[in-house]
């Protein structure tokens, strides 16, 4: 039985950064979550699927992750790699053609979810097949537990697969694709009701985010002293900080402001990073 504070389920990629003619590697997608949790020294368990688990395990060890642990199930398919060029502190994505994996060990992953004692669950679903239907069913059962706080970033996936999660983190485009409407207070309410969610964090890139819960809407901008210079993995990182710092499902406005400031202060561009801020 897992006693980790935070259980993470999700797709992963291998991020390759070209920095001053040198390649650096890091785990991406749900790996962005553990990069933040390591920074915050939060305990976690990441469960995922990848065609070459030994390669991911090696990168995990090379990056000296110490706060949590990793379970990687083998899968069939392409070894997904995303390449970035880091130039003058700015990260530019130069290659991204990930393909879904196949024949994952869905039963064993579902069993880990079922037996987990974690009261915080993060899901990072990039539509790459890393979370199977049986595992999703186990997650929906976990979401029914009032003591569990769950956060879902489901890019290119069906949000209904995660019905009942506490908080959803769609982009504006993902919101429109799911609901067929632009985000307004009324449509945010409808989105929440359809998914039986406690609340929604709507990501708007360099325009910040909107939080909606219990009929109330709040708008948050990037902290004044910082300029977002790239936003790869921003949703995952935002989820990670919120999950690490909150103790209840209720995310008040002050909590969100602190989270955004913490994100800006801690995750500065320092060579290779998925989200960077630098002084204006």
């Amino acid at each position: 039985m897992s006693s980790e504070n935070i259980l993470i389920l999700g797709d992963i990629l291998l991020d390759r950064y070209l920095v001053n003619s040198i390649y650096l590697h890091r785990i991406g997608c749900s790996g962005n979550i553990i990069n933040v949790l390591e920074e915050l020294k939060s305990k976690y368990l990441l469960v995922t699927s990848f065609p070459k688990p030994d390669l991911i395990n090696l990168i995990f060890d090379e990056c000296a992750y110490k706060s949590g642990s990793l379970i990687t199930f083998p899968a069939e398919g392409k070894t997904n790699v995303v390449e970035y060029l880091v130039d003058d502190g700015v990260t530019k994505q130069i290659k991204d053609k990930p393909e879904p994996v196949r024949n994952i060990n869905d039963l064993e992953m579902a069993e880990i979810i079922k037996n987990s004692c974690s009261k915080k669950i993060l899901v990072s679903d990039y539509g790459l097949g890393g979370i199977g239907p049986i595992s999703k069913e186990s997650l929906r059962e976990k979401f029914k537990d009032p003591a569990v706080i769950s956060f879902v970033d489901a890019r290119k996936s069906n949000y209904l697969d995660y019905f009942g999660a506490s908080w959803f983190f769609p982009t504006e485009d993902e919101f429109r694709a799911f609901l067929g409407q632009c985000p307004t207070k009324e449509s945010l309410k409808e989105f929440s009701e359809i998914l039986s969610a406690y609340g929604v964090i709507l990501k708007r890139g360099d325009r910040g985010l909107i939080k909606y819960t219990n009929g109330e809407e709040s708008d948050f901008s990037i902290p004044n002293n910082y300029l977002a210079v790239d936003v790869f993995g921003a949703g995952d990182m935002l989820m990670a900080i919120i999950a690490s710092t909150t103790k209840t499902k209720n995310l008040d406005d002050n909590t969100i402001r602190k989270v955004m400031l913490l994100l800006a202060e801690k995750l500065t561009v320092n060579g290779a990073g998925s989200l960077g801020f630098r002084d204006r």
Side-chain angles (χ1 to χ4, degrees):
M1 301 256 302
S2 168
S3 60
E4 277 74 9
N5 290 343
I6 301 175
L7 174 65
I8 308 160
L9 283 298
D11 295 308
I12 58 171
L13 298 172
L14 179 59
D15 287 345
R16 178 182 293 151
Y17 296 88
L18 180 59
V19 187
N20 297 326
S21 302
I22 298 174
Y23 277 110
L24 303 175
H25 295 90
R26 200 175 67 172
I27 303 172
C29 285
S30 57
N32 292 319
I33 294 173
I34 65 173
N35 292 323
V36 174
L37 296 180
E38 286 286 335
E39 180 79 15
L40 299 175
K41 296 181 174 57
S42 296
K43 197 175 180 185
Y44 62 85
L45 169 65
L46 170 60
V47 185
T48 188
S49 303
F50 198 74
K52 294 184 178 179
D54 290 344
L55 176 60
I56 291 300
N57 294 337
L58 177 63
I59 299 298
F60 186 87
D61 292 338
E62 286 181 349
C63 290
Y65 291 122
K66 299 177 181 178
S67 295
S69 53
L70 171 69
I71 297 177
T72 311
F73 290 111
E76 295 180 9
K78 176 183 175 182
T79 302
N80 289 310
V81 178
V82 179
E83 294 187 0
Y84 300 90
L85 172 65
V86 181
D87 184 20
D88 191 27
V90 178
T91 306
K92 300 177 181 178
Q93 189 169 321
I94 57 177
K95 181 183 178 183
D96 180 13
K97 293 184 179 179
E99 297 176 2
V101 299
R102 306 180 305 278
N103 295 332
I104 66 172
N105 198 329
D106 198 11
L107 281 173
E108 284 196 41
M109 185 179 288
E111 194 66 18
I112 290 174
I113 297 168
K114 178 182 177 181
N115 293 328
S116 172
C117 297
S118 300
K119 297 305 179 185
K120 295 178 182 177
I121 300 176
L122 273 68
V123 177
S124 178
D125 186 343
Y126 280 65
L128 297 178
I131 308 174
I134 303 173
S135 297
K136 290 176 180 177
E137 183 177 350
S138 290
L139 282 168
R140 291 192 296 270
E141 285 300 311
K142 279 290 183 182
F143 296 161
K144 295 177 182 178
D145 184 344
V148 169
I149 311 171
S150 48
F151 307 88
V152 173
D153 191 348
R155 296 180 57 188
K156 301 178 182 177
S157 301
N158 190 343
Y159 285 103
L160 288 170
D161 287 345
Y162 302 104
F163 178 88
S166 308
W167 288 89
F168 287 86
F169 289 70
T171 64
E172 290 178 296
D173 287 344
E174 290 162 356
F175 184 94
R176 282 190 290 265
F178 176 77
L179 201 59
Q181 302 178 44
C182 291
T184 63
K185 188 173 183 178
E186 291 73 23
S187 59
L188 285 164
K189 179 175 185 282
E190 183 177 353
F191 184 95
S192 297
E193 290 176 346
I194 289 173
L195 296 172
S196 190
Y198 187 86
V200 181
I201 300 290
L202 184 74
K203 300 173 295 184
R204 302 187 301 161
D206 59 7
R207 292 182 292 118
L209 57 86
I210 291 175
K211 183 197 75 173
Y212 176 87
T213 184
N214 295 326
E216 298 295 328
E217 177 185 323
S218 302
D219 195 324
F220 301 88
S221 59
I222 300 295
N224 289 334
N225 294 334
Y226 297 90
L227 172 68
V229 294
D230 68 67
V231 290
F232 302 118
D236 290 326
M237 293 183 173
L238 184 69
M239 279 202 313
I241 294 181
I242 291 175
S244 179
T245 56
T246 189
K247 295 182 179 180
T248 69
K249 292 181 183 179
N250 180 33
L251 306 178
D252 59 32
D253 289 359
N254 194 42
T255 296
I256 299 297
R257 292 189 191 96
K258 287 181 178 179
V259 165
M260 294 186 73
L261 185 59
L262 185 62
L263 188 65
E265 288 177 339
K266 284 202 169 285
L267 301 176
T268 56
V269 172
N270 56 4
S274 288
L275 178 66
F277 289 88
R278 61 185 180 189
D279 293 337
R280 288 187 182 275

